[in-house]
Amino acid sequence: MHRTILVFGLIGITPFAVAGEDVSDTLEGANKIGSSFKETLLSAIDVDFYKFTISTDRKNPEHDTSGNITVTLSQKAPPSLNPNSGWQIELYSEKNLAKTLYTAALPETSLEVKFEQGLSPGNYYFRVSSLDSVVFPAAEYTLARQWEENAYYERQPNDDPDNATAITPNETYYGNISSESDIDIYRFGLQAPDLVSISLSQKTPGINSTLGWQVGLFSQPQTVDVLSTALSGTLEANLDVGMHYLFVKPLPQTEEVSQDGDEAEAETAQKEEKTAPVGRTYQLVVNAPSAPPAQEDCPFTFTYAQNPLTNRWASFSTPCDVPVGWFSQETAPETYEVCPSPHATYTLPKMDELGTITQQGRVKIPLLDFKDELGNVMILRVELQQMPNINPIQFTPDILKVLRTIEAE
């Protein structure tokens, strides 16, 4: 029900007469956009929807297919002289159609507008509409997108802890604030207590000192403000072992406002406004001296890691196999069950005096996670049975029990 209401919120402003002329005026009829698409708005209340998908790697679920999209909305020269006429483009995630990930405007007096945004796998929509409710651009526009797969960009939507972008200490990541109300949330794990420094920087400073970012940790009261005129800012904090969450949001500004009344008794109130360097790319790095360096060649060493969302533990054959953002250690946790369980057992076959097998060999795995192509996770109890006169242990479906199913969102 929640999602249905959101969808209607997006398409409800489209008149049925226009929708009948242009099927892309609805989410259901959105054009599937490749690298580019050309179209013309039919009226000031016409809208065009486009859909694209960032797919997961089904053959290798551990492969991170997230990255960065560059979007360009343009028109051919010469530009118009009417500043009231133009196009607006909005980027939405199918996970939250009520909130735009990015909004940009192209008045007819300009030739193009461009923006970037880090995205995770999923379905996304562009919405192109008129800037004005009366006049509209008669010219043809071109919508183009370029995709770069790169695990070091923020992954929208990441405006709450449950969807925080996982990052690895001592690695540089890239992001941007897409609106005045945007907030970017990241998570990282520590295997040992450490004095951590969180640095936010940019390559080229701006000229507006009222714009900037604020960086902070959810577990700590202190924050650091980084003006758009500065190259960088750093926040230091002593952190314990475990998972930690940090945020990057628009710089809060305070402005003195005089109250009505006698001038001698007038009080000064503080009005808070957010001023964000929208679209300006920042670089973020969490420096943690205790964090192990990245290993290109990982030896076979059992590593135990905890999922930050479910708090479930899993074992991996090498440290390189641990997903980004998981807390890991070399020893099995004492108070948690691990999947696959370290308590898995193997019972040898039993034979009588004549060499006849009287009891088959059996492997028992108390807990095992299985993820299907739709993203549903099943927690299984598995037994593997050794068939008579066959050395390899074979799987028998009748001794597999599903303990719990977690459906994909």
Side-chain angles (χ1 to χ4, degrees):
M1 178 64 69
H2 179 58
R3 175 167 293 184
T4 302
I5 293 174
L6 299 181
V7 172
F8 286 157
L10 270 178
I11 66 177
I13 62 174
T14 305
F16 291 103
V18 176
E21 299 173 12
D22 187 356
V23 71
S24 66
D25 284 356
T26 65
L27 282 173
E28 294 79 3
N31 290 309
K32 293 184 179 180
I33 185 172
S35 59
S36 65
F37 203 97
K38 294 184 178 181
E39 188 56 270
T40 304
L41 293 178
L42 303 178
S43 69
I45 54 175
D46 186 22
V47 294
D48 293 332
F49 282 103
Y50 302 89
K51 180 180 180 179
F52 66 97
T53 301
I54 301 171
S55 302
T56 57
D57 189 341
R58 294 185 178 181
K59 295 182 179 180
N60 181 14
E62 300 299 327
H63 175 204
D64 186 358
T65 60
S66 59
N68 188 58
I69 190 172
T70 301
V71 182
T72 304
L73 184 66
S74 63
Q75 64 167 332
K76 291 183 178 180
S80 169
L81 299 178
N82 186 356
N84 296 324
S85 179
W87 302 269
Q88 177 175 276
I89 180 171
E90 298 163 289
L91 172 62
Y92 291 90
S93 167
E94 191 176 58
K95 295 180 179 179
N96 187 359
L97 296 172
K99 182 179 180 181
T100 177
L101 297 180
Y102 205 105
T103 301
L106 174 64
E108 274 199 304
T109 54
S110 300
L111 290 178
E112 74 171 29
V113 63
K114 182 181 294 186
F115 67 89
E116 298 182 27
Q117 186 63 69
L119 299 175
S120 58
N123 294 322
Y124 297 89
Y125 292 91
F126 293 118
R127 181 181 186 271
V128 180
S129 59
S130 173
L131 280 176
D132 191 87
S133 60
V134 178
V135 297
F136 69 98
E140 182 181 64
Y141 67 83
T142 299
L143 175 60
R145 71 179 184 98
Q146 291 181 323
W147 175 252
E148 175 194 3
E149 184 178 307
N150 192 323
Y152 292 95
Y153 282 92
E154 66 164 317
R155 300 158 197 176
Q156 286 279 7
N158 63 341
D159 53 0
D160 60 70
D162 289 341
N163 294 303
T165 298
I167 61 177
T168 301
N170 305 318
E171 299 285 347
T172 301
Y173 293 82
Y174 302 88
N176 68 68
I177 295 296
S178 57
S179 69
E180 294 290 336
S181 61
D182 187 25
I183 180 172
D184 296 336
I185 299 177
Y186 301 85
R187 69 171 188 264
F188 62 93
L190 293 179
Q191 301 181 32
D194 208 344
L195 175 61
V196 172
S197 62
I198 303 170
S199 298
L200 186 142
S201 62
Q202 60 177 331
K203 292 183 178 180
T204 306
I207 60 175
N208 190 342
S209 61
T210 66
L211 304 180
W213 304 270
Q214 185 176 85
V215 184
L217 288 156
F218 283 94
S219 61
Q220 303 288 326
Q222 68 267 31
T223 59
V224 63
D225 296 340
V226 184
L227 299 178
S228 65
T229 55
L231 280 174
S232 64
T234 301
L235 170 68
E236 291 189 344
N238 286 296
L239 301 179
D240 293 328
V241 173
M243 190 61 57
H244 300 275
Y245 293 80
L246 67 90
F247 62 83
V248 179
K249 65 180 183 180
L251 175 68
Q253 291 286 328
T254 56
E255 175 183 327
E256 290 189 354
V257 180
S258 297
Q259 303 293 317
D260 296 333
D262 187 87
E263 184 176 355
E265 298 179 358
E267 296 180 355
T268 301
Q270 297 293 323
K271 178 183 179 183
E272 183 179 276
E273 295 181 351
K274 293 180 178 179
T275 53
V278 175
R280 182 179 289 272
T281 300
Y282 62 76
Q283 300 177 34
L284 181 70
V285 58
V286 175
N287 293 295
S290 67
Q295 294 178 299
E296 296 182 0
D297 184 19
C298 285
F300 181 81
T301 304
F302 275 117
T303 303
Y304 302 90
Q306 186 179 38
N307 187 320
L309 299 181
T310 65
N311 292 324
R312 288 176 53 78
W313 285 79
S315 61
F316 300 87
S317 57
T318 73
C320 296
D321 296 326
V322 177
V324 174
W326 288 34
F327 166 70
S328 63
Q329 60 188 39
E330 294 183 357
T331 58
E334 297 180 357
T335 57
Y336 291 88
E337 185 65 80
V338 176
C339 173
S341 174
H343 305 297
T345 60
Y346 172 58
T347 303
L348 291 170
K350 292 184 178 180
M351 294 182 293
D352 58 19
E353 298 177 353
L354 300 177
T356 303
I357 295 178
T358 58
Q359 181 177 324
Q360 299 167 347
R362 191 182 297 268
V363 173
K364 294 183 179 180
I365 306 176
L367 291 174
L368 181 67
D369 287 350
F370 170 75
K371 188 174 183 180
D372 63 19
E373 294 181 352
L374 299 178
N376 301 314
V377 176
M378 290 183 288
I379 302 173
L380 312 174
R381 177 179 291 138
V382 180
E383 292 187 11
L384 302 179
Q385 182 174 293
Q386 189 169 15
M387 305 302 293
N389 303 321
I390 299 178
N391 288 327
I393 296 176
Q394 294 189 347
F395 170 71
T396 52
D398 59 319
I399 51 177
L400 181 148
K401 182 178 181 181
V402 179
L403 301 180
R404 182 183 176 193
T405 300
I406 304 173
E407 295 184 355
E409 295 182 357

